[in-house]
Amino acid sequence: MPRGIETLTCLEVLDSYLVKNRRETISCSSGADSDGMIELANLNSLRELWIFNLEFVRGRIDAERGKLKDKINLRYLCLRWGSIFDNDDDVQMVLEVLEPNVNLTKLEVQYFPGLKFPKWMGSSTCLPNLVEIILCGCIGCEKLPALGLLPCLRVLETWKMRSVKCLGDEFYYQQEEEEERIRSYNNPENATTTISLFPSLIRLKLLMENLEEWVAPQLPIYSSFPSLEKLEISCFRKLRSTPNLFHCLKELQLCDTNSKAVTSFFATGGRLTSLISVDISHSPELIYIPVGVLLQSVTPNLQQLSIKYCSSFQGFLEEDDLKNYYDNKDGDHEDDFESTQSFSCPKINSKFNNISNSLLSLNLRKCYMTS
């Protein structure tokens, strides 16, 4: 970093603040400052800040010198780690201390090497105005922060979170809040309404190669994702189950997934009434897709279905209740497909003429059979 940056008190955008390596600066004859992030202390006009090389910040004292919580104008904060030299306790404490001001609207955390995220990341008191959060390459964390109660969160993206195997209750709310809310819900003197989790979330992107299970809270006090419109998931070859109650979901993209994950979305008990577009791609382990994706009872407004680069795909699986569906339909079943394209799909066995819905485009592309 250039000398004198700490004097630029009117600076609003700092897109590459590099934390100094204490070992190098201590031995440097120039006597350059080596006290963590002290140069940031008085830059209170900052609106956007990227901090790199956080591995060189040593514990609470170094982290506190940046005074992030005092920066009331800060709206976008990116925290990025590189390689680690010392113990994990320091790493964990650093992120705990780097809590921003409540006015923050976008947070990005890259390559955090600790084992868990701090509680402030999921606190509606600490981040009441957060609109977007991106978590990338935090390979040591086994759980995502509990983000479901952030009132303004609209965009959530996760990348390369390889230690996360389950999205359960801890993803939706912090555990210590649960008992208080349940007591309030069960108190007859308190007319508590249903609590919305991720109430403002519009876009959710998950890239986690080892995720095995995604389970929504089962208590009637909670409802989840009431505003979600776009869901993108990738690297889900191990995923066995997902929620399928996404009432406002319009666009679903599945990449590098398997049959079990796809089946979870389109089971006939699901509620995907707003779904317009489905894109499934690059999934060599995908063998079938439940015919529920084409049924009026599951996806009444679906217009586009695209299946690409799924080398083992064989067709659509008829569920046990499909016969009842046909029996309850009146007379002939009009084929409402406006266009059908099929490329390199030699073994597609689906009764298209028996399906009637709003589907306008079906694209099956490069689904080569390996046998």
Side-chain angles (χ1 to χ4, degrees), residues 328-343:
N328 292 332
K329 297 293 284 184
D330 296 328
D332 296 331
H333 308 291
E334 179 183 359
D335 183 1
D336 288 342
F337 291 117
E338 185 175 280
S339 64
T340 301
Q341 299 179 12
S342 181
F343 301 93

Side-chain angles (χ1 to χ4, degrees), residues 276-279 293-294 301-307 316 335-343 352 357-365:
I276 295 175
S277 173
V278 177
D279 187 305
V293 70
L294 301 172
N301 295 301
L302 187 67
Q303 296 179 8
Q304 298 178 349
L305 172 60
S306 178
I307 305 168
F316 295 84
D335 183 1
D336 288 342
F337 291 117
E338 185 175 280
S339 64
T340 301
Q341 299 179 12
S342 181
F343 301 93
F352 291 133
N357 59 19
S358 59
L359 193 64
L360 301 178
S361 175
L362 173 65
N363 183 1
L364 305 175
R365 184 183 296 270

Side-chain angles (χ1 to χ4, degrees), residues 61 69 75 86 108 122 132 238 244 274 279 284 286 291 339:
I61 295 177
K69 204 169 184 179
R75 296 297 183 269
D86 290 340
E108 189 165 351
E132 182 174 355
K238 299 180 181 180
N244 62 353
S274 300
D279 187 305
L286 180 68
V291 75
S339 64

Side-chain angles (χ1 to χ4, degrees), residues 21-50:
N21 185 340
R22 178 185 294 269
R23 293 174 179 175
E24 292 180 359
T25 55
I26 287 177
S27 61
C28 180
S29 60
S30 66
D33 189 2
S34 62
D35 291 333
M37 301 190 300
I38 197 170
E39 292 170 315
L40 297 175
N42 296 319
L43 304 186
N44 291 326
S45 296
L46 285 172
R47 297 181 62 85
E48 300 179 13
L49 173 62
W50 286 257

Side-chain angles (χ1 to χ4, degrees), residues 109-121:
V109 179
Q110 299 181 4
Y111 306 107
F112 170 62
L115 300 179
K116 61 180 180 180
F117 293 105
K119 292 182 179 180
W120 61 258
M121 289 182 63

Side-chain angles (χ1 to χ4, degrees), residues 167-214:
L167 295 180
D169 290 351
E170 70 285 345
F171 173 52
Y172 293 86
Y173 51 79
Q174 296 187 17
Q175 295 296 324
E176 55 268 26
E177 297 176 346
E178 181 180 10
E179 293 183 5
E180 180 180 350
R181 294 181 183 276
I182 292 176
R183 284 196 299 267
S184 177
Y185 182 77
N186 292 330
N187 186 353
E189 299 179 358
N190 190 356
T192 304
T193 58
T194 301
I195 298 172
S196 292
L197 300 168
F198 296 98
S200 302
L201 196 70
I202 293 177
R203 179 184 175 188
L204 175 59
K205 186 170 186 175
L206 303 173
L207 193 159
M208 293 182 287
E209 59 264 40
N210 292 314
L211 191 69
E212 298 177 0
E213 190 175 27
W214 180 6

